[in-house]
Amino acid sequence: MALPDVIIVLAAASVTALAALWWLGSPAGRPAAAPPGIDDMSLLFEEGQLVHGSDNALTRFALAPGYHQWEDIRDALLSRFPEFPRTPRHGANGKLTLRAEDGDSPSELRITWRDALCWLHLPQTRATEEITEETFQKLAALRRASETSPNPVWQTDAGGRIIWHNRAYGALKRKAQPDPDCGGAALFSTPSPDHPNRVCLRRSDGEKPDWYALTTTTEDNVQVYHATCINAVVAAEEAQRNFVQTLAKTFAHLSIGLAIFDRNGQLALFNPALVDLTDLPAPFLSARPTMVSFFDQLRESRRMPEPKNYKNWRHEIAEVIAAATDGRYQETWSLENGQTYSIRGRPHPDGATAFLIEDITAEVTLTRNFRAELEQSQSLLDTLEDGFAVFSPSGVLTFCNAAYRDRWKQDPDKSFAEITVNDTIRVWQEMSAANPLWPDVVEFVMGRGDRAGWNMPIYPHQGAPLSCEVSAIASGATLIRFRPIPVGAGRSEPSNAPSAGDRRQPSN
């Protein structure tokens, strides 16, 4: 090092020492009773390069002259002194005093400069000087824990002024948008009545706000705040609300009444069709009644069958709820006004239960009318003397009238198994004279040949001769009619010629 540089360094060190001695002797400096060997923290920079520092400062910040720059000490102190300058001051004589935001010791930073030299001075207080090494280690551990915590932590006095905060809070403050309506939560917005422990942080970059769960503790007239980020929880709640709204819009167009009860047995969701079908007022349903109250109100509005024994009503309702919880409840209610409802109970996740109420009056009426028409047609055909038998395209006997049952002793309604065309041919052969055209009847019923109608005479062992008429009807079915042959028409035995089909006679 050149002699002029050595002189400059020695002069700088002398100035630092003189400045420290001057400050120690001032009223604001260290008390005279301070233990020896403990001094204030001072650092000297020349054009941004650390050239000298007190032992306390070099040890505290792990710095070494000649190896560290102004940026190193700025990174260490920026969380406590947000206004710490980016570059060292230089030029004419000047000084700058910064106050720590967290109120911790050292609570003050003094910056003094002259030409290319810049001094940093962190004055120590008596409380800081008199701590033991063990206490210092504990305080250092607490500082590390608070500074490395990802959650913002801060303290305010009785007047709401921040007296301490950790590094996470400082980082949030730098990116937060000032909120003029903020309350005791400092830079956070005032909690809403619906969520008294939830606060919002509006960001200055215009992005979506961050949400935090706020915990407040009071000790020694100091408010201690802990904030935990709950963005994931808020997003999940918003997604759930959107999903429920989507379901509600979908259910609103259903004609089936839907009532979903939560695990506590209270009505959680219903659609407009439920109001129309049950005549229950919407305010009553919006008040989230219980299952028992819901069914009790249905009974009052005569939208369910009146129980025979009202004393056992609550017990029956409990059985209904238990069956619905297991997915076993399904009933048809016939109401006094002629309507018919289908009621189904289904279990849902998380202990919920859903009831589906469907108006099946039209379906039941149509079924009843159709059944009445069938019974009327059956009665009409049973009055005829001719025997009728209808076979499906698969060859199964599906219908016959009373005359057929009396003559051939067959009834598909009383048979355990299906009666096929082969079964009927076998009975006809046993109860009448031989006829080579029976196989042709089977082929006609099964749709294997020509579907043009034809007839043939048959001669039962008992009774008058019959004319067997085979005709195709709708849906591929086949009608076989047994009509008595008029007296005097004569008896002609069926021919045994090889071509039996030639003996067929066109049906009239």
Side-chain angles (χ1 to χ4, degrees):
M1 181 180 297
L3 181 58
D5 296 336
V6 174
I7 295 174
I8 293 175
V9 173
L10 292 176
S14 301
V15 172
T16 303
L18 290 174
L21 291 174
W22 170 81
W23 184 81
L24 290 174
S26 65
R30 182 191 308 177
I38 300 180
D39 57 354
D40 295 338
M41 292 183 288
S42 300
L43 297 171
L44 175 61
F45 291 84
E46 182 179 5
E47 295 183 353
Q49 179 78 24
L50 177 63
V51 296
H52 183 71
S54 63
D55 293 339
N56 195 7
L58 297 177
T59 303
R60 174 70 177 273
F61 300 107
L63 300 175
Y67 293 96
H68 290 88
Q69 308 291 330
W70 178 268
E71 291 79 6
D72 299 325
I73 189 63
R74 183 176 185 273
D75 293 339
L77 296 176
L78 186 61
S79 61
R80 300 188 61 236
F81 301 93
E83 298 180 358
F84 196 99
R86 293 182 177 275
T87 58
R89 301 298 176 91
H90 61 277
N93 297 347
K95 62 180 178 179
L96 175 65
T97 301
L98 302 178
R99 295 285 182 180
E101 284 198 352
D102 55 8
D104 200 358
S105 179
S107 61
E108 185 179 85
L109 171 63
R110 301 173 186 172
I111 303 177
T112 307
W113 64 90
R114 184 180 68 246
D115 297 332
L117 300 177
C118 185
W119 291 267
L120 294 183
H121 184 66
L122 294 165
Q124 299 283 68
T125 63
R126 176 181 293 273
T128 305
E129 293 173 351
E130 293 180 353
I131 62 175
T132 62
E133 180 65 21
E134 182 181 359
T135 305
F136 179 80
Q137 295 297 333
K138 291 181 179 179
L139 291 176
L142 292 175
R143 179 179 292 278
R144 285 192 298 269
S146 63
E147 293 301 329
T148 57
S149 174
N151 298 328
V153 182
W154 67 97
Q155 300 178 8
T156 61
D157 57 16
R161 185 177 65 89
I162 296 179
I163 58 177
W164 177 88
H165 66 77
N166 65 347
R167 186 177 299 174
Y169 179 90
L172 285 180
K173 186 175 181 180
R174 286 191 292 273
K175 71 175 183 179
Q177 177 182 355
D179 188 353
D181 298 329
C182 66
L187 61 90
F188 296 95
S189 61
T190 304
S192 64
D194 296 335
H195 299 281
N197 297 327
R198 183 173 294 184
V199 292
C200 175
L201 175 64
R202 296 178 176 85
R203 302 179 56 171
S204 58
D205 54 7
E207 296 292 332
K208 294 181 63 176
D210 295 326
W211 289 90
Y212 290 85
L214 187 64
T215 303
T216 307
T217 305
T218 303
E219 186 173 352
D220 298 333
N221 293 328
V222 176
Q223 294 281 345
V224 183
Y225 297 89
H226 294 78
T228 304
C229 185
I230 56 171
N231 285 341
V233 176
V234 174
E237 292 176 350
E238 183 178 359
Q240 183 183 20
R241 286 194 299 269
N242 294 336
F243 181 70
V244 172
Q245 291 177 359
T246 302
L247 289 180
K249 292 178 181 179
T250 303
F251 295 153
H253 300 285
L254 292 179
S255 59
I256 300 176
L258 176 66
I260 298 180
F261 296 85
D262 58 20
R263 63 167 62 185
N264 298 322
Q266 290 184 310
L267 184 62
L269 181 65
F270 67 93
N271 64 341
L274 184 70
V275 180
D276 298 335
L277 293 174
T278 61
D279 284 343
L280 298 180
F284 169 76
L285 298 175
S286 300
R288 304 188 63 191
T290 62
M291 288 190 191
V292 176
S293 299
F294 176 78
F295 283 101
D296 199 15
Q297 194 66 25
L298 284 180
R299 186 192 63 81
E300 293 290 339
S301 61
R302 298 184 179 277
R303 285 296 176 175
M304 68 177 300
E306 181 69 21
K308 297 180 180 179
N309 188 349
Y310 184 75
K311 294 182 180 180
N312 297 332
W313 168 246
R314 293 302 174 92
H315 179 68
E316 294 176 0
I317 288 297
E319 293 180 351
V320 169
I321 296 173
T325 304
D326 297 337
R328 297 179 288 105
Y329 182 72
Q330 185 168 355
E331 286 188 0
T332 300
W333 292 351
S334 297
L335 306 184
E336 297 178 355
N337 58 3
Q339 289 182 299
T340 304
Y341 286 173
S342 174
I343 313 298
R344 287 169 291 173
R346 294 291 182 268
H348 273 235
D350 199 21
T353 305
F355 283 93
L356 304 175
I357 302 179
E358 183 179 4
D359 187 357
I360 58 173
T361 304
E363 178 182 348
V364 172
T365 303
L366 180 62
T367 302
R368 291 173 179 172
N369 293 339
F370 181 70
R371 185 180 297 112
E373 291 178 0
L374 288 180
E375 292 177 354
Q376 185 177 6
S377 300
Q378 179 74 45
S379 300
L380 178 61
L381 292 176
D382 286 342
T383 61
L384 300 179
E385 296 181 357
D386 297 349
F388 291 90
V390 177
F391 293 88
S392 68
S394 60
V396 177
L397 179 63
T398 58
F399 173 80
C400 61
N401 64 346
Y404 177 88
R405 293 192 295 268
D406 293 341
R407 181 173 296 277
W408 302 109
K409 310 304 179 182
Q410 284 185 328
D411 189 353
D413 295 334
K414 296 182 180 180
S415 175
F416 177 77
E418 293 181 342
I419 299 177
T420 66
V421 64
N422 293 321
D423 299 330
T424 59
I425 293 296
R426 189 178 304 111
V427 173
W428 298 344
Q429 287 177 336
E430 293 176 355
M431 300 180 65
S432 62
N435 191 329
L437 298 180
W438 292 125
D440 292 351
V441 175
V442 176
E443 292 183 0
F444 188 96
V445 170
M446 302 302 294
R448 298 171 186 168
D450 185 10
R451 296 283 290 175
W454 55 279
N455 63 77
M456 66 177 181
I458 59 174
Y459 302 95
H461 297 316
Q462 297 180 356
L466 300 174
S467 173
C468 178
E469 300 177 359
V470 183
S471 305
I473 57 177
S475 302
T478 302
L479 171 65
I480 298 181
R481 178 179 181 180
F482 296 93
R483 177 184 299 179
I485 297 178
V487 179
R491 176 184 178 93
S492 60
E493 295 293 339
S495 172
N496 294 327
S499 179
D502 293 340
R503 296 289 181 262
R504 296 179 182 175
Q505 301 177 8
S507 179
N508 296 326

